[in-house]
Amino acid sequence: MSGSHRASPYPSYEPVYEAPQQPYGVPPQSYGAPQQPYGGPQEYDGPLYEDAEAGDGYRSLAEHDVYDRPFQAQPAEPPPAPPAPPRQRAAAAPAGGRAAARNHRRKARKKRTGRAAVAGTALLLAAAAGWYTVGQDTDRPGVAAADGSGPEGVGTPDRPAAGQPAADQASPAAPAAAAADARQAEAPAAGRSEARSDGSVAVIPGLGASFVARIPAETNQVVVATGEGVDTNRTSVTLWSRTAEGRWTGGENWQGHNAFKGWTTDHNEGDLRSPIGVFSLTDAGGRKADPGSRLPYDKDPNFVVSGTGFAGEQLAGSFDYVVAIDYNRVPGNSPLDPRRPSGSTKGGGIWIHVDHGGPTHGCVSIPEEKMTQLIRTLDPAARPVIVMGDAASLAV
């Protein structure tokens, strides 16, 4: 039965009489219908409340507190004053020996609105409809990387091979991997706890002990390219500088792309994955004029590329500015130098270059204005390096 018992005590009992009392000694007049057996099913024809079943009304008197007091005769003199009209009752109580219970007034039951049930149902429907969902931001750009027998896209534009998935398409295990990568990308506890008011940290966030140990002691500039996942092609890039105290301060976070299929520790030409590791940055160049580089800069019209990339984007202008990543190349030479010390099968031509809006063959890409800023900032005296890989791998 919906509703609940009244919390406050019942009011003091005042007998109410439906008809004037008979003189003393005269048998009392019977009231209403014949008495029903006590405790049997009670009929209720009143309105039903929300959440009530048909026939669910006031049940037997056993469910309520009643005053079990027999009818008391009144003295003949003086005659009692006419009683006030009885209040209307929600349901008739059975007639019989318990006249007091019959005349007992019950507090009106508060009608339930069912708002709590409606709110709970709404939340369940919202969750089922996907109103509260967490997923990857498909509009956010990322860092790209590519390679080939020469610079990325030269002679072989970034076109997907037949049967390859569309750009930025994640593998079936990508959602779980992305969640793990996001957790791994958080700054180490030491970096967070030791952050100062100037923003400097003792350890570059997101780098585990093995990668921290691979950064040369004389290096004071570190470009960190962190991929979202091992099989994804979007990356964030940040330039970190070491202070005189040996702490690190980070610059802006730039969004770009890496290789079409993600990352690998065993890069080979044509695998469409960017190499994971720590590599020096010694040379820059591009089709456009030197924007103010402190690294050796090679302006050359051969820094050109044409065609479309994996996402159907135009590749033109991608090599207007580049910084060579010293993976399988001879440092101290133009990024166009084709030599591969570890053999041609290990790939090459891995650069940081202008982002063209999609994944590459192996390089890392950032927006053009960020490329010019990076080229002007990198200092050979700071022995700059790039630490690159997916977030989970870099956290080791």
Side-chain angles (χ1 to χ4, degrees):
M1 178 170 63
S2 61
S4 61
H5 289 299
R6 174 168 44 197
S8 60
Y10 284 95
S12 60
Y13 173 69
E14 297 178 4
V16 179
Y17 305 96
E18 297 181 353
Q21 299 296 305
Q22 300 296 326
Y24 183 79
V26 179
Q29 182 178 352
S30 61
Y31 295 91
Q35 178 177 356
Q36 301 295 326
Y38 179 73
Q42 305 298 315
E43 296 294 334
Y44 174 66
D45 297 327
L48 291 175
Y49 298 97
E50 281 189 37
D51 303 330
E53 301 272 341
D56 180 22
Y58 292 107
R59 301 188 188 278
S60 67
L61 293 177
E63 298 182 11
H64 304 279
D65 296 329
V66 297
Y67 294 91
D68 191 6
R69 182 181 299 178
F71 178 81
Q72 301 293 330
Q74 302 296 324
E77 295 296 340
R87 295 183 181 180
Q88 185 177 1
R89 289 187 287 272
R98 296 181 180 273
R102 179 192 61 201
N103 292 325
H104 176 64
R105 296 191 300 274
R106 295 186 179 91
K107 184 177 179 180
R109 187 181 307 183
K110 185 176 180 180
K111 185 175 180 180
R112 295 177 61 188
T113 61
R115 292 180 181 177
V118 172
T121 303
L123 287 175
L124 291 175
L125 291 176
W131 292 359
Y132 307 103
T133 58
V134 176
Q136 296 182 355
D137 183 0
T138 57
D139 294 330
R140 187 176 69 172
V143 171
D147 73 350
S149 57
E152 176 195 4
V154 175
T156 307
D158 283 339
R159 299 177 186 272
Q164 288 183 348
D168 286 332
Q169 181 173 348
S171 64
D181 294 342
R183 291 191 296 270
Q184 292 283 3
E186 295 181 357
R192 291 195 301 267
S193 62
E194 297 180 18
R196 295 179 179 173
S197 58
D198 62 356
S200 67
V201 294
V203 179
I204 296 176
L207 299 186
S210 64
F211 279 88
V212 170
R214 293 168 65 181
I215 298 174
E218 64 273 16
T219 292
N220 293 320
Q221 287 181 327
V222 176
V223 177
V224 178
T226 307
E228 291 182 351
V230 68
D231 296 321
T232 62
N233 50 56
R234 290 176 293 187
T235 302
S236 62
V237 179
T238 304
L239 174 61
W240 291 84
S241 300
R242 198 197 301 261
T243 68
E245 297 178 89
R247 298 174 65 83
W248 295 95
T249 57
E252 298 177 352
N253 184 272
W254 304 325
Q255 300 299 310
H257 289 83
N258 57 277
F260 177 65
K261 291 186 177 180
W263 300 87
T264 181
T265 56
D266 184 22
H267 177 68
N268 289 278
E269 183 176 355
D271 64 7
L272 299 180
R273 290 185 179 272
S274 298
I276 297 173
V278 179
F279 309 102
S280 58
L281 303 172
T282 57
D283 304 282
R287 185 180 64 87
K288 291 185 177 180
D290 184 350
S293 174
R294 288 187 273 185
L295 297 176
Y297 187 90
D298 179 29
K299 178 182 180 302
D300 195 305
N302 289 320
F303 284 102
V304 294
V305 64
S306 61
T308 58
F310 292 103
E313 76 281 10
Q314 293 297 317
L315 300 178
S318 299
F319 302 151
D320 284 352
Y321 301 103
V322 308
V323 173
I325 296 173
D326 291 341
Y327 168 84
N328 197 21
R329 70 178 299 269
V330 181
N333 293 274
S334 168
L336 292 174
D337 187 343
R339 287 178 290 176
R340 306 288 186 259
S342 299
S344 60
T345 60
K346 296 303 293 180
I350 307 297
W351 298 343
I352 306 174
H353 64 67
V354 176
D355 184 61
H356 45 73
T360 69
H361 286 78
C363 298
V364 171
S365 66
I366 57 177
E368 181 174 356
E369 65 273 17
K370 308 307 179 184
M371 273 301 304
T372 58
Q373 181 179 340
L374 178 64
I375 289 174
R376 288 193 296 264
T377 305
L378 292 177
D379 184 357
R383 303 293 180 89
V385 301
I386 182 171
V387 180
M388 53 192 288
D390 62 282
S393 296
L394 295 182
V396 176

